[in-house]
Amino acid sequence: LSHTCYSKLDNFKKSAKRAVEMFFENEEGGRERDRTFAVFHKTRAKNKNMEKMDMINYIVECMPKTFKVSLDNPDITVIVQVIGRITGISVVEGFKKLWDFNVRTIVQKANDSENKMVDDTSTIKK
């Protein structure tokens, strides 16, 4: 998470705006292109100071007007994590593509492939 703040809506708005602006400062011509985005929100502990939809709606206001929402395959994802009194925000590209990234799964697939190759070679007739 690139930005954190206390879990109050006014603090969230300042941090969210900075996070979005910072993302586009580092990307040349990023605001001009037609792109898609999504908001990934997760609350890990109850917080009565902020409503989920208030946060999402504010992020939508911060995004360039030419951008469209795509929940299935967004170019950009704004990640919001509320952890009790602290909220974290990040703006990233390719989040959905890496969502299922799991080292254990990758290692298991590699091991399965190696085992299959060993099984295949053991059946070769001499």
Side-chain angles (χ1 to χ4, degrees):
L1 299 170
S2 63
H3 292 75
T4 57
C5 63
Y6 288 109
S7 296
K8 294 199 181 245
L9 193 56
D10 57 336
N11 294 334
F12 170 78
K13 286 182 176 184
K14 291 175 190 172
S15 290
K17 186 172 184 167
R18 275 196 310 264
V20 170
E21 287 174 353
M22 191 173 172
F23 176 81
F24 288 113
E25 282 175 11
N26 296 329
E27 187 179 60
E28 199 169 313
R31 284 187 178 273
E32 289 80 34
R33 293 186 279 161
D34 291 338
R35 298 173 73 183
T36 58
F37 75 97
V39 178
F40 175 81
H41 178 279
K42 185 165 188 166
T43 299
R44 296 176 186 255
K46 294 286 181 188
N47 184 303
K48 297 177 183 176
N49 295 322
M50 297 191 301
E51 293 292 325
K52 176 181 178 177
M53 286 311 299
D54 291 339
M55 291 184 277
I56 291 172
N57 288 333
Y58 185 74
I59 289 171
V60 170
E61 288 176 27
C62 292
M63 298 304 282
K65 302 303 177 213
T66 58
F67 283 28
K68 305 282 185 235
V69 173
S70 171
L71 301 178
D72 295 328
N73 190 22
D75 299 319
I76 298 168
T77 304
V78 181
I79 302 167
V80 178
Q81 297 226 358
V82 180
I83 308 166
R85 294 185 289 170
I86 302 295
T87 297
I89 306 156
S90 253
V91 182
V92 298
E93 288 187 271
F95 179 73
K96 284 286 192 172
K97 292 175 189 169
L98 299 175
W99 173 250
D100 291 328
F101 179 73
N102 181 325
V103 174
R104 180 178 288 171
T105 304
I106 292 170
V107 170
Q108 183 62 42
K109 286 180 183 177
N111 287 340
D112 290 347
S113 294
E114 287 177 15
N115 290 340
K116 186 176 188 298
M117 287 174 36
V118 169
D119 290 344
D120 289 345
T121 57
S122 65
T123 58
I124 296 174
K125 293 181 181 178
K126 295 182 180 180

